[in-house]
Amino acid sequence: VGYTNAGKSTLMNALTHAGAVTHDSLFTTLDSLSRKTPLPNNREVVFSDTVGFMHALPHGLIEAFKATLEEVAEADLLLHVLDISHPNFRNLYQAVNAVLEELKVLGKPTVMVLNKTDQLEDVSRLKEFQRMTPHAVGISALKGEGIGELLLMVEAMLPEGTVEIDVLLDPKRIDLVHLAHSQGQVHEVKFLAKGIRLKAALPVKTAGAITHQ
């Protein structure tokens, strides 16, 4: 999430190679774009790029934009992208937070992504914001700087939510292998005489369904 033209689509491309259209203009992204990508620990996550926020939108337009922000309500973690090089970056930050509060998601775990550090003339601005704001990382999405640090922070802040399983399935239960592939991260599948050996990291509910087959 972030103010329009903060660099969200450029960041999306840097994180996922999504090929999202990017322009230096308002409302480049009008529909949300979601892409799956692995984190450094090989856990797969889905990043969604939402419409850019703005000050003082007409009420009807606000309602239309809210319909595109369902991903925000359902997300485990928000990435608030802020153009730290903008002269009024504090106002942009407050404007986005006002919308997040209206959506009742301001309390969600959030990484502050301080973008466009390559255009920043006064580095002390970045350091000051990082001191004031928890979980803030400076990046240049355009140049790919700081992306590794950002991914590690995402990794650290995401809820665990998964368990490792190592089970021997009935040889006929290939459907459970497909379920594991669709719901989590499969490490190994071996077809043995006694059955199917499955090693995977799965959501707790899915893991329970498979282990109690």
Side-chain angles (χ1 to χ4, degrees), residues 168-187:
L168 187 66
L169 303 175
D170 185 289
K172 297 179 181 177
R173 297 306 306 271
I174 191 67
D175 61 306
L176 295 179
V177 175
H178 294 319
L179 177 64
H181 274 291
S182 68
Q183 297 291 321
Q185 186 73 26
V186 174
H187 304 313

Side-chain angles (χ1 to χ4, degrees), residues 36 75 85 100 118 143 151 208:
K36 185 187 288 187
S85 72
L100 294 177
D118 56 308
K143 295 190 174 182
L151 287 171

Side-chain angles (χ1 to χ4, degrees), residues 16-189:
T16 69
H17 309 291
V21 176
T22 60
H23 295 300
D24 186 13
S25 60
L26 304 181
F27 305 130
T28 299
T29 303
L30 288 173
D31 298 305
S32 59
L33 172 71
S34 298
R35 291 290 183 272
K36 185 187 288 187
T37 193
L39 295 175
N41 64 359
N42 291 322
R43 180 180 179 183
E44 287 197 329
V45 296
V46 175
F47 289 106
S48 293
D49 181 16
T50 63
V51 66
F53 296 8
M54 279 195 73
H55 284 100
L57 282 174
H59 183 74
L61 199 53
I62 290 175
E63 293 304 314
F65 280 6
K66 282 182 182 177
T68 73
L69 295 173
E70 294 176 0
E71 289 85 354
V72 176
E74 297 174 2
D76 295 303
L77 179 68
L78 300 183
L79 272 61
H80 180 165
V81 185
L82 177 66
D83 178 359
I84 194 66
S85 72
H86 196 286
N88 296 319
F89 73 96
R90 288 185 178 85
N91 291 341
L92 306 186
Y93 171 70
Q94 292 168 359
V96 172
N97 280 347
V99 177
L100 294 177
E101 186 171 17
E102 196 171 342
L103 294 170
K104 297 180 172 57
V105 295
L106 190 57
K108 276 185 179 284
T110 301
V111 176
M112 277 305 309
V113 185
L114 308 179
N115 192 27
K116 306 189 183 182
T117 55
D118 56 308
Q119 300 177 28
L120 193 59
E121 295 180 2
D122 183 6
V123 181
S124 65
R125 177 190 296 186
L126 174 67
K127 301 298 182 185
E128 178 189 354
F129 202 95
Q130 286 179 308
R131 283 195 301 270
M132 294 170 50
T133 311
H135 313 302
V137 56
I139 71 158
S140 169
L142 185 63
K143 295 190 174 182
E145 297 170 358
I147 299 300
E149 183 183 352
L150 171 58
L151 287 171
L152 288 174
M153 189 173 289
V154 168
E155 197 174 86
M157 288 188 63
L158 273 175
E160 290 298 324
T162 61
V163 293
E164 297 284 337
I165 66 167
D166 182 354
V167 296
L168 187 66
L169 303 175
D170 185 289
K172 297 179 181 177
R173 297 306 306 271
I174 191 67
D175 61 306
L176 295 179
V177 175
H178 294 319
L179 177 64
H181 274 291
S182 68
Q183 297 291 321
Q185 186 73 26
V186 174
H187 304 313
E188 183 180 43
V189 177

